[in-house]
Amino acid sequence: MRKYLLPFVMLAIFSVKSFGQNVFEKGYYIDNQGSKVEGLIKNMEWGRSLVQFEFKNDATSASKLKGISVVKEFEIEGKVKYVRADVEVEMSSDNLSTLSDSKDPIFTKKTVFLKALVEGKYTLYQYSYEDVRRFFYQTDSDIKPLVYKKYSISDTQVAKNNMFIEQMQSLSDCDDINDSQILSIQYRESDLKEFFIRFNTCKNENYKSFEKKSEKKSFHLSIRPGVNFSSLAISSNDNQSLYNTDFGNQTNFRVGVEAEFVMPFNNNKWALIIEPTYQYYNSEKEYTTKTILNEAVPNKTTLKYSSIEVPLGIRHYSFISAKSKVFVNASFVYDVVLGGSEITYEEYNYLPRKFKLEPNINFAFGIGYKYDNRYSLEFNYHTKRDILGKDIKSDYKTISLIFGYTLF
């Protein structure tokens, strides 16, 4: 078993080191002189506003950090755009435990990268930092805050300064948008984007909406057949030779059905996985022992083991190209032993002794490659598992080679 483990670990380290990164995608930035520089930008799917990003001129060149002091705007084409701006940001926390008791906004002058959500005659931006999320708008040369603030009026009551509603009303001159509709707007991305798109379309203005247009599904189901390279050794605490059996290495078939739930953040690089898997290991050992009269007598140990393993774990993808990616995963495995699984000791002149195998837990670690979100190949290593759980100790170990086909 150990001879399989070393190359497995080395492959895992090499793959994570080589591909543990987000994809560089086509984009550009504009510098302080107004020059547009095209190249590749590392898409980090930033969850909050940033101050720098990685850029390289082409796929073969080294990447460099570009900061807010030298870049006026940058865009990953069709996906995300940030614009540098000097704006007044209302930085009061929205956390209920630290709310201000003042209704009036308290602005802080900041130079930030604002994320463009809708770009047109009516442009909507977003700024995010920790638990602060604020929105801004632009209809001419100036970028202005959409004013919103939660504040405390007692130990148990929270109020809101919804000045942004009045600002939205002043922006709207569309016949098909009335005040009651605007009054229903919540200070959140989905509501504000909807209305800024409506502001642009009602005046037949061209606009650009930056949003995920991914066809990636959040749930995948895969069939995963493969082979197990397993070993089993059994020993007794009192060192009785009858129970000390090394069944050795064995290669067997396994098949699993994997459900994968992709997390909606960080470029869909994280997923939860569960894979009920049928596996088995059957073996028989014959050997001789000597009686007190020094007579050689036959003995036999028979093992029948089949189970449904239920790994529950987490997976991380690293992209090589648009169609290729590697992944690593770690799982907690619960083993459901199927009926008829037992070990039988047949000692000369004694009745057979049978021990039923018991469910138990262990851990599994895998590394694999997936192509076109359809075909995959994975090496999976299981830590040892005790399948007896009695005074008789057992070490069951498995390394798997798994082929996957994603149905949807």
Side-chain angles (χ1 to χ4, degrees):
M1 180 67 68
R2 290 181 181 177
K3 68 180 180 180
Y4 298 114
L5 182 57
L6 181 58
F8 175 84
V9 173
M10 292 180 66
L11 178 61
I13 294 172
F14 171 78
S15 297
V16 172
K17 183 177 180 180
S18 300
F19 304 114
Q21 57 187 19
N22 292 61
V23 172
F24 279 86
E25 301 183 47
K26 187 177 180 182
Y28 72 87
Y29 72 86
I30 296 178
D31 62 21
N32 289 337
Q33 289 70 47
S35 299
K36 183 177 181 180
V37 182
E38 297 184 341
L40 301 172
I41 296 174
K42 190 174 184 180
N43 188 353
M44 299 298 292
E45 199 172 82
W46 301 273
R48 63 180 189 175
S49 294
L50 64 152
V51 295
Q52 62 185 16
F53 59 93
E54 276 191 71
F55 178 87
K56 55 185 182 179
N57 294 320
D58 53 53
T60 59
S61 62
S63 65
K64 297 180 180 179
L65 289 176
K66 299 294 179 180
I68 195 170
S69 62
V70 297
V71 173
K72 295 172 67 174
E73 72 175 56
F74 72 91
E75 178 180 346
I76 296 175
E77 292 187 2
K79 291 187 176 181
V80 64
K81 180 178 180 178
Y82 282 88
V83 175
R84 186 181 70 194
D86 297 317
V87 291
E88 300 280 354
V89 184
E90 210 299 305
M91 292 293 293
S92 300
S93 172
D94 289 339
N95 191 315
L96 296 179
S97 63
T98 56
L99 286 182
S100 166
D101 58 4
S102 172
K103 176 181 180 180
D104 298 328
I106 301 174
F107 291 107
T108 302
K109 186 79 171 181
K110 295 175 75 73
T111 300
V112 298
F113 274 133
L114 295 177
K115 183 179 182 180
L117 301 178
V118 178
E119 189 176 58
K121 180 180 179 180
Y122 301 87
T123 297
L124 176 67
Y125 297 104
Q126 177 184 278
Y127 172 78
S128 299
Y129 182 77
E130 294 181 351
D131 64 339
V132 173
R133 178 170 292 189
R134 298 291 181 258
F135 296 93
F136 297 80
Y137 72 97
Q138 182 179 27
T139 56
D140 45 42
S141 59
D142 295 327
I143 298 177
K144 302 173 184 177
L146 287 168
V147 180
Y148 168 84
K149 182 182 179 181
K150 282 184 181 179
Y151 61 97
S152 174
I153 56 177
S154 72
D155 291 340
T156 58
Q157 290 182 296
V158 174
K160 299 176 183 178
N161 178 345
N162 285 327
M163 189 183 297
F164 79 95
I165 293 290
E166 297 175 19
Q167 294 172 285
M168 296 285 285
Q169 289 173 328
S170 67
L171 287 173
S172 176
D173 57 356
C174 300
D175 294 336
D176 62 342
I177 301 177
N178 56 50
D179 282 350
S180 63
Q181 291 174 314
I182 293 179
L183 286 170
S184 68
I185 299 175
Q186 298 295 311
Y187 194 78
R188 60 190 178 201
E189 180 180 335
S190 57
D191 284 25
L192 293 172
K193 281 183 68 173
E194 176 190 346
F195 275 84
F196 269 79
I197 289 172
R198 291 177 69 178
F199 291 163
N200 282 293
T201 55
C202 80
K203 296 299 181 182
N204 295 318
E205 298 287 348
N206 292 326
Y207 74 92
K208 188 175 184 179
S209 176
F210 292 89
E211 57 188 344
K212 295 177 184 177
K213 296 181 178 179
S214 173
E215 296 181 357
K216 295 177 182 176
K217 297 182 175 66
S218 60
F219 174 76
H220 302 288
L221 189 68
S222 302
I223 301 295
R224 287 165 44 97
V227 290
N228 284 347
F229 305 95
S230 304
S231 67
L232 177 63
I234 296 176
S235 61
S236 172
N237 287 343
D238 59 8
N239 293 319
Q240 295 183 54
S241 60
L242 173 66
Y243 298 128
N244 296 337
T245 308
D246 187 349
F247 289 99
N249 297 319
Q250 193 174 110
T251 302
N252 291 318
F253 178 74
R254 54 88 76 195
V255 63
V257 178
E258 179 190 83
E260 180 185 57
F261 304 87
V262 179
M263 300 293 99
F265 53 80
N266 198 217
N267 274 341
N268 303 109
K269 294 200 305 177
W270 292 94
L272 297 177
I273 53 174
I274 183 170
E275 184 189 0
T277 303
Y278 172 76
Q279 66 90 41
Y280 67 93
Y281 182 102
N282 299 325
S283 188
E284 184 177 282
K285 285 284 185 177
E286 294 184 353
Y287 52 95
T288 60
T289 57
K290 291 187 177 181
T291 67
I292 57 175
L293 299 177
N294 205 32
E295 295 178 311
V297 294
N299 301 277
K300 184 169 68 173
T301 303
T302 304
L303 175 76
K304 295 180 180 179
Y305 174 36
S306 59
S307 69
I308 302 295
E309 295 176 333
V310 186
L312 177 62
I314 189 166
R315 173 174 291 157
H316 177 69
Y317 286 103
S318 294
F319 299 96
I320 304 172
S321 67
K323 285 194 172 185
S324 297
K325 52 190 174 182
V326 294
F327 60 87
V328 292
N329 38 252
S331 301
F332 171 90
V333 184
Y334 183 74
D335 187 50
V336 182
V337 178
L338 299 180
S341 296
E342 61 186 12
I343 186 168
T344 304
Y345 294 96
E346 299 178 53
E347 187 178 9
Y348 181 74
N349 259 354
Y350 288 90
L351 291 175
R353 277 171 279 185
K354 295 186 179 183
F355 298 92
K356 289 191 177 297
L357 306 186
E358 298 182 1
N360 213 326
I361 60 173
N362 65 314
F363 297 94
F365 304 93
I367 180 169
Y369 169 78
K370 194 161 191 177
Y371 178 74
D372 201 25
N373 287 322
R374 185 72 64 181
Y375 310 98
S376 66
L377 178 67
E378 179 183 340
F379 290 98
N380 198 279
Y381 170 74
H382 282 231
T383 60
K384 66 181 181 180
R385 178 192 303 151
D386 187 355
I387 61 175
L388 283 169
K390 302 178 184 296
D391 290 336
I392 306 172
K393 300 296 182 181
S394 60
D395 285 341
Y396 181 71
K397 302 174 185 177
T398 299
I399 288 178
S400 302
L401 177 63
I402 305 167
F403 305 89
Y405 178 78
T406 300
L407 300 174
F408 57 84

